[in-house]
Amino acid sequence: MTGAAADRRRLAVVSGGGTGIGRACAGALAGDGFDVVLLGRRGDVLEATAAELTGRPGWGTVTAARCDVGDPADVGAWVATLRSSADVVDVVVNNAGAPARRPTADAPLDDVAEAWLAAWRANVLSAVLLTTALTPLLARPGGRVVLVGSRAATTGGSTPSYVAAKAALDGWVLNLAAVLGPEGITANVVAPGYTEGTELVAGRIPPERHAALLAGIAAGRPAQPEEIAEVVRFLAGPGAGYVNGQVLTVDGGTRPPGT
């Protein structure tokens, strides 16, 4: 790499970057020298995280931008603003998502539809909109798209609409990899198992459920967000250029029955 290309600062965009896995991904990438933009709906949370991560020796800058990545207008407006200051994006980490509501067994169909559409918008459409909007800016070659999925997509261990939404990412990444791969861009899913320190888990797991989850993990403990971020960091780096269209499960190992 020579000239202006050699002097260009690498840029990463992390959705849902204010807390949990997204925050850990932002820290890992900034620590590798990327300038990182955090996206999310809660501007105060994003600003606090950006302030905490910015200014560390050898790290890239971390900035915050309020953007609901499930809203086409919001995404379009933010990308238009980004284009005024950057013409290349190196990494997109689609971490934004949300737990899904489980309608009661006797819920009217309107309520069922509302719950499933909300899960789809939060966990699938958010990634589709941001990735689609940023695809023209992705580095060619060398761009990276990372989707944060879930181990639940293969175990079924969550609410039905959440399981289905995360499973959709596993299928979509195959198409992304096929379309973007010839241009030197990779697309992969990182599928965390039971992970502490996230808003998906905090206050939502009763003690008996916690114990049952640990019983199925060979490592005997939940993951930490930083451990998921290390896999994202690998996928964003130069050593992962031939890893494409994969679902990388990070769950501490499944304990065989009876052990």
Side-chain angles (χ1 to χ4, degrees):
M1 188 180 297
T2 59
D7 297 332
R8 181 180 65 81
R9 305 245 343 147
R10 294 177 299 163
L11 179 63
V13 176
V14 180
S15 70
T19 62
I21 292 172
R23 181 193 180 284
C25 288
L29 294 173
D32 274 355
F34 285 91
D35 289 336
V36 181
V37 181
L38 309 178
L39 300 182
R41 292 179 296 177
R42 296 174 297 175
D44 55 339
V45 174
L46 296 172
E47 292 287 353
T49 297
E52 184 180 348
L53 296 178
T54 292
R56 302 187 184 189
W59 283 37
T61 63
V62 181
T63 57
R66 188 198 171 284
C67 176
D68 180 353
V69 290
D71 183 324
D74 253 22
V75 175
W78 176 75
V79 172
T81 299
L82 176 69
R83 283 178 175 272
S84 68
S85 59
D87 54 11
V88 179
V89 172
D90 297 277
V91 180
V92 182
V93 180
N94 291 284
N95 173 70
R101 180 172 61 85
R102 186 193 299 266
T104 61
D106 59 350
L109 291 181
D110 283 350
D111 189 47
V112 174
E114 180 181 341
W116 276 73
L117 288 171
W120 182 266
R121 179 176 292 277
N123 296 290
V124 181
L125 189 61
S126 58
V128 171
L129 292 175
L130 184 61
T131 300
T132 301
L134 290 178
T135 291
L137 300 180
L138 286 173
R140 290 166 167 79
R144 303 283 193 263
V145 177
V146 180
L147 312 175
V148 178
S150 174
R151 179 81 164 89
T154 55
T155 66
S158 187
T159 55
S161 55
Y162 182 83
V163 169
K166 290 299 188 180
L169 298 179
D170 294 356
W172 180 44
V173 80
L174 298 174
N175 179 264
L176 270 180
V179 171
L180 299 178
E183 299 184 64
I185 300 167
T186 67
N188 294 282
V189 173
V190 174
Y194 182 30
T195 305
E196 287 185 324
T198 71
E199 293 184 330
L200 184 66
V201 167
R204 297 175 181 273
I205 308 296
E208 62 275 13
R209 175 63 174 158
H210 173 79
L213 289 168
L214 293 189
I217 300 173
R221 64 172 179 83
Q224 299 301 312
E226 292 74 17
E227 293 175 304
I228 311 304
E230 282 299 316
V231 180
V232 174
R233 179 183 182 181
F234 163 70
L235 290 173
Y242 203 63
V243 181
N244 198 19
Q246 303 302 304
V247 178
L248 282 71
T249 300
V250 190
D251 67 352
T254 302
R255 187 190 300 276
T259 63

